[in-house]
Amino acid sequence: MSEAAVPGYRVWALPGMPEVRPGDDLVKLIAAATADGVPQLVDGDVLLVTSKIVSKAEGRVVEADDREAAIDRETVRVVARRGTLRIVQNRQGLVMAAAGVDASNTPSGTVLLLPEDPDASARALRAGLRATLGVDVGVVISDTFGRPWRSGLTDVAIGAAGVRVLDDLRGGTDAYGNPLSATVVATADELAAAGDLVKGKATGLPVAVVRGLGHLAGEPDDGPGARAMVRSAEDDMFRLGTSEAVREAVTGRRTVRSFTGEPVDPGAVRRAVAAALTAPAPHHTTPWRFVLLESPAARVRLLDAMRDAWTADLRADGRSAESVAKRVRRGEVLRAAPYLAVPCLVTEGAHPYPDARRSTAEREMFLVAHGAGIQNFLVALAGERLGSAWVSSTMFCKDVVREVLGLPAEWEPMGAVAIGHPAQAPGPRPPRAAEDFVVVR
């Protein structure tokens, strides 16, 4: 194989870049650096520019005796916190340490903010180099990121123009003919990391060039920019930090009464049962049992028997036919769900007492523990992105439920939980002020 046919690329840093100050013309500075005894830029090259010099040129240097206050202003939400370190989502949509606010390589008493719109900055650089040097290059603006599950820092793309930021290989095959179904390569990040190998972190070389990867440059109309690399919230399995995840699971849990026809993963329900079993319980007991109705026949058989029992009870109470039909319809949420769970209370291990007062209190302890288990179950289902509705109906016909499901006499059905994928997003929850429910003594 000839040398020309060997796949490869070349990357080098531009020497001679001066200290950048607010208002400087980066295009002129880069054009001058490329003319000073180094290879000239040609079509298909990719220019890799450290975000710090873009921020300086754009005047994103701000007075800030308190860096934390600057981080607060740039933060949209806090994802995770450990001591003084904060991982946050910033105004540009990036999740990173300290919102990208940098106190290094800037005069004392000031901090550097990220470019206001890194993609727009990349487009301006690309257009300026085309007008000044007559070359069509790609531009990547990079910043340094830490990464979940991996030690060490690396440069990634926060802005891009004229570069294929994502290389979608889905639909193709590998060398063995296996289909590629999930392979989308973050090419702009790989370019940024390659440039960092020659720029370094403290060498005063903020700009690099990659040559030999022209198939990644020259995107029409500048391309989608690095913003396209920010994973959408609905697709991000790891979007939430630890504290956020707990709050989201608890406060985001809603009663869902309308479901799609998508099947429910039985494994997800069993994981929710496992979460239920972590609830507190008296005397080291385990008062929770869950009957999982996974077959349509089992669900129909139970719900038909319950409907007949409710109807008979309501008629015996003297209810009108209209009133009976209205109340029976309230249970239709169970029939519409693709999956049902019937939580049952078992008071095995309860202490016997000779008087009614203490016996009642003993039972109430078990009821509270069982309720805690159901709440854990519902919250865990929400964490699995499953909707649910706890319906009390089985408590009104326990004998019928036990008979249809073949349950032991000591198992007490405590309602039923309809489970499925929500047919639509729930509406906003009415606000409740915690102080309205608190009494301090």
Side-chain angles (χ1 to χ4, degrees):
M1 181 181 290
S2 68
E3 182 178 346
V6 176
Y9 64 91
R10 180 185 175 195
V11 56
W12 68 90
L14 293 185
M17 284 288 295
E19 175 67 23
V20 177
R21 293 178 174 79
D24 280 351
D25 187 334
L26 278 185
V27 171
K28 290 183 178 179
L29 295 180
I30 292 170
T34 60
D36 190 16
V38 298
Q40 299 296 300
L41 290 175
V42 299
D43 290 351
D45 285 349
V46 179
L47 198 71
L48 310 168
V49 183
T50 302
S51 64
K52 286 184 178 62
I53 66 169
V54 179
S55 295
K56 289 179 178 180
E58 293 180 354
R60 298 283 283 168
V61 184
V62 298
E63 300 288 337
D65 293 330
D66 182 4
R67 181 184 180 223
E68 295 302 310
I71 295 172
D72 288 341
R73 289 192 294 271
E74 294 299 305
T75 294
V76 173
R77 66 185 181 96
V78 176
V79 176
R81 185 191 303 267
R82 179 175 292 169
T84 59
L85 175 63
R86 282 183 284 172
I87 306 298
V88 306
Q89 182 181 20
N90 63 16
R91 297 177 185 276
Q92 290 82 3
L94 303 168
V95 176
M96 60 192 306
V101 175
D102 198 342
S104 63
N105 296 306
T106 186
S108 178
T110 67
V111 295
L112 276 175
L113 310 182
L114 289 179
E116 186 74 33
D117 184 344
D119 283 330
S121 301
R123 291 193 294 270
L125 276 174
R126 186 187 188 211
L129 290 168
R130 184 189 296 118
T132 302
L133 300 178
V135 293
D136 188 11
V137 299
V139 175
V140 170
I141 296 175
S142 66
D143 198 59
T144 304
F145 270 50
R147 299 155 299 160
W149 311 296
R150 302 285 289 180
S151 295
L153 304 172
T154 187
D155 266 24
V156 303
I158 66 169
V163 172
R164 186 187 306 169
V165 295
L166 295 168
D167 196 5
D168 191 346
L169 304 180
R170 291 173 297 182
T173 58
D174 64 16
Y176 294 92
N178 300 310
L180 298 174
S181 59
T183 304
V184 181
V185 179
T187 50
D189 282 351
E190 293 182 330
L191 289 165
D196 192 47
L197 290 174
V198 295
K199 290 188 297 178
K201 300 297 183 189
T203 57
L205 299 171
V207 181
V209 179
V210 168
R211 178 168 295 170
L213 298 175
H215 63 287
L216 299 180
E219 285 288 288
D221 301 323
D222 291 320
R227 185 70 189 221
M229 305 179 75
V230 177
R231 196 185 299 273
S232 64
E234 57 271 20
D235 292 333
D236 191 350
M237 294 177 64
F238 308 102
R239 171 177 168 79
L240 302 178
T242 304
S243 57
E244 275 189 317
V246 173
R247 288 196 305 272
E248 177 73 13
V250 175
T251 62
R253 187 213 64 78
R254 304 293 299 277
T255 294
V256 175
R257 300 181 181 277
S258 178
F259 305 97
T260 69
E262 183 180 352
V264 171
D265 174 16
V269 179
R270 283 161 175 76
R271 290 191 291 272
V273 170
L277 304 183
T278 67
H283 317 316
H284 305 288
T285 60
T286 53
W288 315 279
R289 303 291 187 274
F290 287 84
V291 184
L292 307 181
L293 281 71
E294 295 183 345
S295 74
R299 294 193 294 273
V300 170
R301 187 164 59 250
L302 174 64
L303 295 176
D304 284 352
M306 290 171 58
R307 179 198 58 206
D308 295 343
W310 298 337
T311 301
D313 284 347
L314 291 168
R315 286 174 177 168
D317 291 341
R319 301 278 186 180
S320 67
E322 181 181 357
S323 177
V324 170
K326 180 179 179 181
R327 282 164 172 77
V328 168
R329 278 198 301 272
R330 291 174 183 169
E332 289 304 300
V333 62
L334 297 178
R335 200 174 291 273
Y339 197 108
L340 291 182
V342 178
C344 297
L345 170 65
V346 176
T347 57
E348 180 182 356
H351 292 176
Y353 291 100
D355 60 284
R357 177 180 60 82
R358 285 185 289 174
S359 293
T360 299
E362 181 77 2
R363 177 171 172 78
E364 287 173 346
M365 286 197 304
F366 276 80
L367 287 171
V368 169
H370 198 267
I374 293 177
Q375 173 70 356
N376 279 11
F377 183 64
L378 299 177
V379 168
L381 290 173
E384 297 278 355
R385 296 295 187 262
L386 289 171
S388 64
W390 178 80
V391 180
S392 62
S393 52
T394 66
M395 300 171 67
F396 292 88
C397 51
K398 294 179 180 180
D399 288 339
V400 170
V401 175
R402 277 191 288 258
E403 180 182 354
V404 172
L405 298 181
L407 305 181
E410 63 272 17
W411 287 28
E412 294 186 55
M414 303 299 289
V417 180
I419 303 170
H421 295 273
Q424 62 270 327
R429 184 188 293 275
R432 292 173 180 168
E435 290 302 315
D436 294 343
F437 300 86
V438 172
V439 175
V440 179
R441 294 288 186 262

